[in-house]
Amino acid sequence: MSLYKKIHAIMCESEALEKNLTVGDGKNSYKAVGEASVLNSIKPLLKTHGIVIFPIEVNIEEKFNEYQGKYGTTQRFMSVLHAKYKVVDIDTGEFEILETVGYGADSQDKGSGKAMTYAYKALIQKTFCLFSGEDTDNTHSDDITKSNSHKETDEEKNQKMMQETGTAKIDKFKVKALLQLIEETGTTREAIEEYVKCKLEDMTFNKWGEIVATLEKRKQKGA
């Protein structure tokens, strides 16, 4: 059986997925399919038909913008991930390279992970036609009204305030993005660390956004 026939067989044997995950809260929340549901649904079929799927190339771009949050002006960070996955038939060695895109918005260090999860879920769902009924991608999040009865604890409130005010430390992907900008603009790591009075790895999201914005302007002027 060829790779394409195996993919077709998995399409035929798989079932629609239930949206069991609530993304966001309040009026902008919406239902989605969780990663666990996708994996639990497709993994047995991949094992049965001898198909393996793994990433071979991942590129992440970090973007940011300012917005007015509950605790004042803050910055929202968006991780844009472009990835290539290899789908291999272990019986014949036949393979296909598939591309996917994922987006992850977070005020702390989870943007890259969210983007990776989104990209992989999209790849699996579109490749094997794992439909989930209602298509919330066709509905703007502002049009979705859903009451949120969960009462925040003090710890959750503090965590949310930390996220919105950008006082959490940056993750390794943002460190990597900053190092690349430093190299492209002829700046030095030592100069940046002297300015922010800490190691790059200990930099907060607010400081990271400030430095990135400055270096981006310098990069554009030098272009």
Side-chain angles (χ1 to χ4, degrees), residues 19-34 103-105 114 118 121 134-147:
K19 293 188 175 183
N20 59 351
L21 178 68
T22 300
V23 181
D25 54 28
K27 66 178 182 179
N28 291 328
S29 65
Y30 62 92
K31 300 293 289 184
V33 178
Y103 299 87
K114 288 179 178 179
Y118 185 96
K121 283 198 305 180
E134 176 193 358
D135 188 359
T136 44
D137 289 339
N138 288 331
T139 305
H140 191 278
S141 59
D142 289 340
D143 297 330
I144 301 174
T145 56
K146 180 180 182 297
S147 62

Side-chain angles (χ1 to χ4, degrees), residues 52-207:
V52 294
I53 303 174
F54 53 91
I56 59 172
E57 183 179 325
V58 177
N59 294 298
I60 297 179
E61 180 183 1
E62 303 288 358
K63 298 182 178 182
F64 73 96
N65 66 297
E66 292 188 344
Y67 73 103
Q68 192 67 30
K70 183 178 179 181
Y71 301 98
T73 302
T74 187
Q75 295 168 328
R76 184 184 301 278
F77 300 92
M78 173 72 75
S79 298
V80 183
L81 179 142
H82 296 266
K84 292 182 180 180
Y85 280 79
K86 195 170 187 178
V87 183
V88 184
D89 181 349
I90 64 173
D91 295 321
T92 65
E94 187 180 3
F95 68 88
E96 276 289 344
I97 306 297
L98 304 180
E99 296 188 31
T100 183
V101 178
Y103 299 87
D106 195 80
S107 297
Q108 293 195 67
D109 60 353
K110 301 180 181 65
S112 302
K114 288 179 178 179
M116 192 74 177
T117 297
Y118 185 96
Y120 183 66
K121 283 198 305 180
L123 176 81
I124 294 297
Q125 288 181 266
K126 300 306 181 184
T127 300
F128 300 105
C129 297
L130 302 179
F131 300 115
S132 55
E134 176 193 358
D135 188 359
T136 44
D137 289 339
N138 288 331
T139 305
H140 191 278
S141 59
D142 289 340
D143 297 330
I144 301 174
T145 56
K146 180 180 182 297
S147 62
N148 181 14
S149 59
H150 172 68
K151 187 176 181 179
E152 288 185 328
T153 64
D154 290 339
E155 182 178 352
E156 289 172 331
K157 289 178 180 178
N158 289 335
Q159 183 69 12
K160 182 175 290 186
M161 183 174 67
M162 180 179 289
Q163 291 176 0
E164 292 200 356
T165 55
T167 56
K169 292 181 181 180
I170 60 175
D171 62 8
K172 62 180 180 181
F173 296 107
K174 288 179 174 58
V175 172
K176 183 178 179 181
L178 180 55
L179 286 171
Q180 183 176 344
L181 261 180
I182 289 174
E183 181 179 350
E184 291 174 350
T185 55
T187 316
T188 66
R189 175 176 180 145
E190 291 74 16
I192 298 297
E193 291 180 340
E194 174 63 25
Y195 177 77
V196 297
K197 305 302 181 184
C198 68
K199 295 290 185 182
L200 296 188
E201 293 78 6
D202 295 326
M203 189 181 297
T204 64
F205 277 79
N206 279 345
K207 276 295 182 184

